[in-house]
C-alpha cells in the first residue's frame, strides 16, 4: 500500500493500513425490470497487519447474499459477515470475519433500485425513446452503492468485469471498450492501470459510436452521435497539446460517452471513457472546455489522485489550471482569458457568500460530495497561475511535468504536494514565492489581493456597454452583441445587478431572444436573472429547461433563486413535481435541499 493511506479517510469504513484490495473482478447482470445489478465482486487482498482477521468494506443499500474466501487454488469456503446499520453519509460497513488471511474474497450481492450511484432511465427519458438507459456516477463515495469495496481514493487497483445485459444494448465501462463488439448482451472489460474506486464506471444503452481521431471516439444515442462527433472534433488536438506540456497520455484510448440530459455533472473523468453532459453540444464548439477539463484529469486526478476528498483541490484545482492551458493552446489566449475571468468573478462572488473556513483549499467536510466547490476548482487553479506567474511559464511547466511523473499512479495529500513543491520549485528559484505564501493560499479563506488576473479588452468593452444599458444611455438593441461569443454573453449576464426591472428584461429579450436559448450556459444565466427579477414571461421556457436538463450546476441555482419568494417557491415546486422522475438521485437531493431550505 502507499504511505498516503496513513491519513485516515473519514468517508470510508475501510482499514487500508491493515489490508488493501489489489484487484477487483466483477461479474454482473444488468436487469432493467428490477433496476438492479446482480452478481459478484471478487477482491484480491494484500494483508499488511499480520494480526488482522477482519475485512471491512464500504457498501450503501446493497443486499449481500453471501461472502466466501478463495484460497490460492481457488477453492471457496463460506465466511461469516455482518452488515452494520446504515449511516446517511457513509452507508453500511460490511464486516467480514476470516479465520486466516485469504488472498481473495468473493461477495455475492445485488444493488437497490435507488442506488445513489446509478440512474435507471425508462425509454421515455432517453433521446431515442425506444430503449432504457442506465449509467453510474461513482464520485465521490457512490461506487459503494453498486460494488462492495474499499471506497476511498487512497486505495488503487486494476479491475476486470464480465457484464451481461439485454441484447441490442451496448455496455461500456471505464476500461477497454471495443466499438466493434457485437450487441449480444455479453461484454468483458479490463482496466489494467490501478485506479481509485471513484473511477469505476458503467453505462448501458442504445449507443452508437463515431471516431473523432486515431485514439478517440464518441459514444452516444444514435440521434445524438453525429452532433457530438462534430462538437468534439478537436479531441486529438487537445490530447497532443497536453502530451507536449505534461508527458504521454497513459491510458490508451480517450473516448467520450455523451449521456442523456439528466446526467448530474458536466463531465466525469472516468478513465478511457469520459462521461459528458449533452448540454455542451451547442453546435459551435464554444463549450468544449469541458472536454479539455475531463482530458486534463488524465494527468491531474486519474494519474495523481487526491488521497481523500478533503484534498480534492489536488484533483480539481490542478485540472482547472491544465484545462485553461489546453484551451489557450487550441483556441487561443483570448478565449482562455475570458473563461478564466468568468470563473474568477464567480469565485469572488462566492467568497462574499461563503463562511471563511469553507474557503480553504483543504476544508473540513460533512459530506464527501461537498468537496466539489468553486474553491477546490478555481481558487486551486488560481494558486497554480500564481506559481506560474512568479516562476515563469517555462520553469513552472517543467516543474508540473515532473510532479505528474513523480506521483504517477499514486494518491497523495496536500502535505505530500508541498513536500515536493519546496525542493523542486520554491527552493530551486529562491526569492520568488515562499512556502508560507503558498500555505496562506491553502489554509486561509479568500484569495490574496495580489493574485494575478488576465485583462480582456473584449470583456472590458462589454462591461462598459452593460453599464450604459443599465443607466438607460443605450437601448438593448444598441448593445452591439451580434458577434459576442458564448463566453462574452456569459460575462454580460453574470454582471447584471441582482434586481432588474421586468421592463429591462423584456427589452433585452426582445433585442436578443435569450428566452429559450439553445445554449445551456446562456440560458442558465438568463433564467437566473429572470427568477431574480420575477420576470413571469420567462417562466414557460424556464420550466421546460429545468425539466429537460438534470445537470445540477445548470438547474439547482435556479431552484435556489426561485425559492427566495413564496410565489417563486410555489412555481419551483410545481416544476420539480414534473421534473423529478427525470432527475438523477443526486440532483433530486440537491433540489430538495434547495426547496426545503426556506
Ligand atoms: Zn474535474
Amino acid at each position: 500500500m502507499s504511505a498516503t493511506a496513513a491519513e485516515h479517510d473519514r468517508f470510508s469504513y475501510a482499514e487500508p493500513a491493515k489490508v488493501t484490495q489489489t484487484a477487483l473482478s466483477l461479474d454482473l447482470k444488468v436487469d432493467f425490470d428490477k433496476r438492479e445489478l446482480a452478481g459478484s465482486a471478487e477482491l484480491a487482498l494484500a494483508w499488511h497487519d499480520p494480526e488482522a482477521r477482519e475485512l471491512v468494506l464500504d457498501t450503501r443499500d446493497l443486499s449481500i447474499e453471501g461472502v466466501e474466501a478463495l484460497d490460492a487454488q481457488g477453492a471457496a469456503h463460506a465466511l461469516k459477515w455482518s452488515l452494520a446499520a446504515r449511516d446517511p453519509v457513509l452507508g453500511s460497513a460490511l464486516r467480514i470475519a476470516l479465520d486466516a488471511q485469504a488472498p481473495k474474497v468473493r461477495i455475492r450481492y445485488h444493488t437497490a433500485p435507488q442506488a445513489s450511484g446509478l440512474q435507471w432511465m425508462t425509454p421515455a427519458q432517453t433521446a431515442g425513446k425506444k430503449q432504457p438507459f442506465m449509467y453510474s456516477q461513482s464520485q465521490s463515495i457512490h461506487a459503494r452503492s453498486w460494488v462492495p469495496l474499499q471506497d476511498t481514493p487512497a486505495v488503487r487497483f486494476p479491475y476486470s468485469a464480465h457484464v451481461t445485459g439485454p441484447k441490442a444494448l451496448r455496455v461500456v465501462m471505464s476500461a477497454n471498450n471495443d466499438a466493434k463488439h457485437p450487441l449480444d448482451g455479453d461484454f468483458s472489460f479490463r482496466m489494467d492501470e490501478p485506479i481509485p474506486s471513484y473511477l469505476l464506471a458503467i453505462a448501458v444503452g442504445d449507443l452508437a459510436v463515431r471516431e473523432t481521431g486515431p485514439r478517440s471516439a464518441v459514444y452516444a444515442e444514435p440521434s445524438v452521435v453525429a452532433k457530438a462527433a462534430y462538437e468534439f472534433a478537436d479531441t486529438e488536438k487537445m490530447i497532443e497539446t497536453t502530451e507536449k506540456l505534461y508527458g504521454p497520455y497513459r491510458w490508451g484510448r480517450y473516448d467520450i460517452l455523451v449521456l442523456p440530459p439528466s446526467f448530474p455533472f458536466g463531465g466525469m473523468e472516468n478513465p478511457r471513457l469520459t462521461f459528458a453532459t449533452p448540454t455542451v453540444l451547442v453546435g459551435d464548439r464554444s463549450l468544449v472546455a469541458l472536454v479539455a477539463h475531463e482530458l486534463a484529469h488524465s494527468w491531474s486526478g486519474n494519474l495523481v489522485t487526491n488521497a481523500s476528498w478533503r484534498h480534492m483541490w489536488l484533483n480539481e484545482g490542478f485540472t482547472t489550471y491544465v484545462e485553461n492551458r489546453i484551451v489557450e493552446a487550441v483556441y487561443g489566449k483570448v478565449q482562455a482569458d475570458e473563461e478564466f475571468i468568468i470563473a474568477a468573478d464567480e469565485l469572488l462572488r462566492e467568497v462574499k457568500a461563503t463562511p471563511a473556513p469553507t474557503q480553504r483549499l483543504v476544508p473540513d467536510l460533512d459530506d464527501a460530495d461537498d468537496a466539489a466547490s468553486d474553491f477546490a476548482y478555481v481558487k486551486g487553479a488560481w494558486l497554480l497561475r500564481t506559481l506560474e506567474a512568479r516562476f515563469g511559464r517555462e520553469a513552472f511547466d517543467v516543474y508540473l511535468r515532473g510532479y505528474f511523473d513523480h506521483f504517477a499512479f499514486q494518491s497523495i495529500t496536500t502535505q505530500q504536494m508541498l513536500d515536493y513543491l519546496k525542493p523542486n520549485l520554491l527552493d530551486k528559484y529562491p526569492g520568488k514565492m515562499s512556502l508560507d505564501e503558498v500555505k496562506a493560499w491553502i489554509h486561509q479563506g479568500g484569495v490574496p489581493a495580489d493574485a494575478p488576473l488576465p485583462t480582456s479588452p473584449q470583456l472590458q468593452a462589454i462591461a462598459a456597454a452593460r453599464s450604459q444599458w443599465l443607466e438607460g444611455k443605450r437601448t438593448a438593441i444598441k448593445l452591439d452583441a451580434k458577434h459576442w461569443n458564448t463566453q462574452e454573453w456569459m460575462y454580460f449576464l453574470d454582471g447584471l445587478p441582482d434586481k432588474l426591472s421586468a421592463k429591462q428584461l423584456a427589452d433585452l429579450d426582445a433585442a436578443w431572444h435569450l428566452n429559450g436559448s439553445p445554449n445551456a450556459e446562456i440560458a442558465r444565466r438568463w433564467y437566473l436573472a429572470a427568477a431574480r427579477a420575477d420576470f413571469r414571461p420567462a417562466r414557460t421556457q424556464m420550466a421546460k429547461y429545468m425539466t429537460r436538463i438534470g445537470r445540477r450546476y445548470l438547474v439547482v441555482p435556479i431552484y435556489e433563486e426561485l425559492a427566495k419568494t413564496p410565489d417563486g417557491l410555489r412555481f419551483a415546486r410545481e416544476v420539480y413535481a414534473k421534473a423529478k422522475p427525470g432527475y438523477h438521485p443526486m440532483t433530486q437531493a440537491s433540489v430538495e435541499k434547495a426547496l426545503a431550505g426556506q
Side-chain angles (χ1 to χ4, degrees):
M1 89 171 189
S2 67
T4 59
E7 184 182 292
H8 175 67
D9 177 357
R10 60 173 294 241
F11 297 111
S12 170
Y13 288 112
E15 301 171 316
K18 294 182 181 169
V19 53
T20 45
Q21 63 205 16
T22 55
L24 166 69
S25 172
L26 292 169
D27 194 337
L28 295 173
K29 179 172 180 279
V30 181
D31 189 327
F32 278 99
D33 293 330
K34 292 188 187 162
R35 299 190 156 205
E36 71 172 31
L37 300 177
S40 66
E42 201 176 284
L43 298 175
L45 302 170
W47 294 88
H48 311 296
D49 175 356
E51 306 299 316
R53 292 291 182 276
E54 187 182 51
L55 172 66
V56 185
L57 300 178
D58 294 299
T59 77
R60 183 187 291 120
D61 300 329
L62 294 183
S63 295
I64 306 297
E65 291 151 11
V67 182
E68 49 202 3
L70 303 174
D71 67 21
Q73 284 70 45
H77 75 273
L79 293 174
K80 287 209 173 88
W81 54 274
S82 66
L83 203 55
R86 185 185 194 276
D87 177 271
V89 173
L90 295 179
S92 309
L94 172 61
R95 297 181 180 279
I96 300 168
L98 296 108
D99 34 30
Q101 297 189 337
K104 281 183 181 175
V105 297
R106 186 193 299 147
I107 300 127
R108 281 178 295 109
Y109 71 99
H110 64 266
T111 61
Q114 77 277 15
S116 63
L118 302 176
Q119 187 176 18
W120 298 90
M121 308 182 72
T122 63
Q125 291 167 337
T126 66
K129 312 284 179 205
K130 289 199 189 84
Q131 298 284 359
F133 201 106
M134 184 278 286
Y135 65 88
S136 69
Q137 170 55 41
S138 297
Q139 195 183 27
S140 41
I141 54 169
H142 301 282
R144 66 190 64 178
S145 75
W146 63 283
V147 183
L149 79 179
Q150 293 183 315
D151 196 11
T152 168
V155 176
R156 316 177 70 99
F157 53 92
Y159 80 90
S160 62
H162 172 237
V163 183
T164 57
K167 289 203 170 68
L169 297 189
R170 187 188 299 276
V171 182
V172 289
M173 291 191 81
S174 52
N176 63 330
N177 297 291
D178 173 7
K180 297 193 173 65
H181 193 285
L183 302 181
D184 59 1
D186 193 311
F187 291 78
S188 292
F189 302 92
R190 293 182 64 83
M191 165 49 78
D192 291 327
E193 310 298 346
I195 59 160
S197 55
Y198 75 90
L199 295 177
L200 280 174
I202 186 169
V204 187
D206 181 12
L207 293 170
V209 192
R210 186 79 57 100
E211 295 285 325
T212 55
R215 51 183 159 171
S216 61
V218 289
Y219 290 78
E221 285 194 72
S223 65
V224 179
V225 76
K227 201 177 176 197
Y230 175 82
E231 206 83 29
F232 302 148
D234 292 329
T235 302
E236 175 61 23
K237 235 187 267 177
M238 291 189 185
I239 303 172
E240 285 171 12
T241 295
T242 325
E243 286 188 311
K244 252 183 242 156
L245 286 167
Y246 306 117
Y249 177 75
R250 305 197 196 208
W251 305 90
R253 290 192 62 87
Y254 180 80
D255 296 332
I256 300 172
L257 169 66
V258 178
L259 291 164
S262 68
F263 184 54
F265 292 166
M268 178 62 213
E269 62 270 24
N270 298 316
R272 300 184 70 117
L273 184 66
T274 278
F275 284 19
T277 175
T279 60
V280 294
L281 305 179
V282 189
D284 62 4
R285 298 179 187 157
S286 64
L287 296 176
V288 293
L290 180 102
V291 175
H293 182 96
E294 305 312 329
L295 172 67
H297 273 305
S298 307
W299 286 262
S300 42
N302 300 4
L303 190 62
V304 181
T305 307
N306 51 214
S308 78
W309 296 111
R310 286 189 77 197
H311 301 282
M312 196 185 199
W313 83 278
L314 295 176
N315 282 16
E316 297 302 347
F318 279 64
T319 291
T320 303
Y321 171 81
V322 172
E323 165 200 336
N324 201 255
R325 293 293 303 274
I326 298 172
V327 169
E328 182 186 320
V330 178
Y331 300 101
K333 191 163 159 40
V334 169
Q335 182 171 336
D337 285 352
E338 287 183 347
E339 289 183 1
F340 190 75
I341 292 167
I342 290 168
D345 281 357
E346 174 80 36
L347 178 73
L348 295 174
R349 284 190 292 274
E350 285 277 317
V351 165
K352 285 187 199 140
T354 312
T358 314
Q359 302 179 16
R360 293 181 304 213
L361 286 180
V362 188
D364 294 324
L365 300 170
D366 294 327
D367 189 331
D369 284 346
D370 297 340
S373 73
D374 267 358
F375 297 95
Y377 284 70
V378 183
K379 183 178 168 181
W382 213 339
L383 167 54
L384 298 201
R385 289 180 80 101
T386 306
L387 288 166
E388 185 201 311
R390 298 282 186 93
F391 292 88
R393 179 168 277 193
E394 208 179 317
F396 188 62
D397 284 356
V398 171
Y399 167 77
L400 200 50
R401 180 174 178 160
Y403 166 90
F404 289 134
D405 284 339
H406 182 76
F407 291 115
F409 297 109
Q410 293 183 47
S411 302
I412 67 167
T413 61
T414 301
Q415 190 55 51
Q416 284 172 286
M417 188 284 285
L418 289 173
D419 290 346
Y420 184 80
L421 180 74
K422 192 171 178 306
N424 293 292
L425 190 67
L426 306 185
D427 294 352
K428 209 166 162 184
Y429 306 97
K432 305 225 183 248
M433 191 164 178
S434 70
L435 185 60
D436 283 343
E437 269 185 283
V438 177
K439 282 184 174 167
W441 268 88
I442 291 170
H443 299 298
Q444 291 175 13
V447 174
D450 62 351
L453 194 60
T455 50
S456 159
Q458 289 87 343
L459 296 189
Q460 282 167 352
I462 287 168
R466 183 177 54 212
S467 299
Q468 291 183 337
W469 174 66
L470 288 170
E471 289 159 15
K473 292 178 187 158
R474 271 196 210 200
T475 57
I477 196 78
K478 296 276 184 216
L479 278 170
D480 222 9
K482 210 172 195 164
H483 301 291
W484 289 359
N485 65 24
T486 297
Q487 283 68 35
E488 288 158 4
W489 268 110
M490 287 161 67
Y491 179 79
F492 174 84
L493 293 167
D494 278 343
L496 293 178
D498 276 355
K499 286 278 178 214
L500 284 177
S501 68
K503 190 173 165 297
Q504 282 170 307
L505 284 177
D507 179 32
L508 197 58
D509 190 39
W512 302 106
H513 313 292
L514 297 168
N515 207 27
S517 167
N519 184 313
E521 288 277 4
I522 294 172
R524 171 187 187 263
R525 288 161 171 82
W526 165 253
Y527 295 130
L528 276 172
R532 272 185 211 116
D534 194 20
F535 182 60
R536 304 285 170 98
R539 278 198 177 175
T540 307
Q541 290 295 338
M542 188 191 293
K544 266 192 204 162
Y545 177 87
M546 293 159 78
T547 312
R548 185 171 57 84
I549 295 171
R551 183 178 168 191
R552 290 192 303 184
Y553 156 81
L554 294 177
V555 297
V556 174
I558 305 175
Y559 281 103
E560 287 170 346
E561 199 53 55
L562 287 168
K564 288 178 182 169
T565 67
D567 183 73
L569 182 61
R570 187 196 51 74
F571 171 69
R573 288 200 168 123
E574 235 175 72
V575 174
Y576 181 56
K578 289 201 190 87
K580 183 180 174 180
Y583 283 168
H584 188 280
M586 287 184 204
T587 306
Q588 291 180 7
S590 302
V591 172
E592 281 165 25
K593 204 169 149 189
L595 297 183
Q598 301 304 308

